[in-house]
Amino acid sequence: HRLGDKLPGRDRSLLELGHHVFVVADSFLDVTRGEELTAERLATPPPAWMRIGADLDRFGEDVRAGLRDWWSRCDEAGCEAPAETYYGAQTLHQMLERTAWHCAQHARQLMMVLGSLGIEPDRPLGAADLAGLPLPEKVWDDEP
């Protein structure tokens, strides 16, 4: 019932951020199928049918299933395949790493918002989960 709430100091709702996290991962899967990653793809808004948590969860489960399937078939050579992105040519390995830390940063933001709503995150990310990722020190770029 709080998915429409705006994030602190942002013109983005909880639903939009939650959807974005899965879009980032889904965009990676698009690239594994030969598509180019565009900034517009990452900015895809939630579809009209996505209005409640169960809708977001269903989309997220589809993305997670796609990642599990890709990972089960990927070998080292496949991870070195070229990937075209709006920030230049990468390998799938490089793009997977960037996808991981991009999603991790947004997960930190979602955890902070949940905490401010008095909701304990289920299996929150800890220091060990984030170790080695090139994340900013702050959860929000404009926090003091």
Side-chain angles (χ1 to χ4, degrees), residues 96-140:
L96 179 60
E97 180 179 313
R98 185 174 175 136
T99 298
W101 61 256
H102 188 160
C103 291
Q105 177 63 8
H106 288 315
R108 291 173 65 206
Q109 293 169 343
L110 287 167
M111 288 172 20
M112 180 179 268
V113 171
L114 287 175
S116 74
L117 296 172
I119 301 169
E120 180 65 30
D122 181 21
R123 297 176 306 208
L125 296 176
D129 299 311
L130 304 173
L133 296 179
L135 299 175
E137 187 175 316
K138 298 176 181 177
V139 174
W140 302 102

Side-chain angles (χ1 to χ4, degrees), residues 3 5 8 14 18 30 34 37 44 48 65 83 87 103 134-135:
L3 287 175
D5 289 5
L14 283 167
D30 290 345
L37 176 66
T44 303
Y87 52 88
C103 291
L135 299 175

Side-chain angles (χ1 to χ4, degrees), residues 4-21:
D5 289 5
K6 294 293 185 186
L7 299 169
R10 309 260 176 322
D11 188 24
R12 183 183 241 183
S13 70
L14 283 167
L15 175 64
E16 290 167 329
L17 180 57
H19 175 260
H20 175 69
V21 171

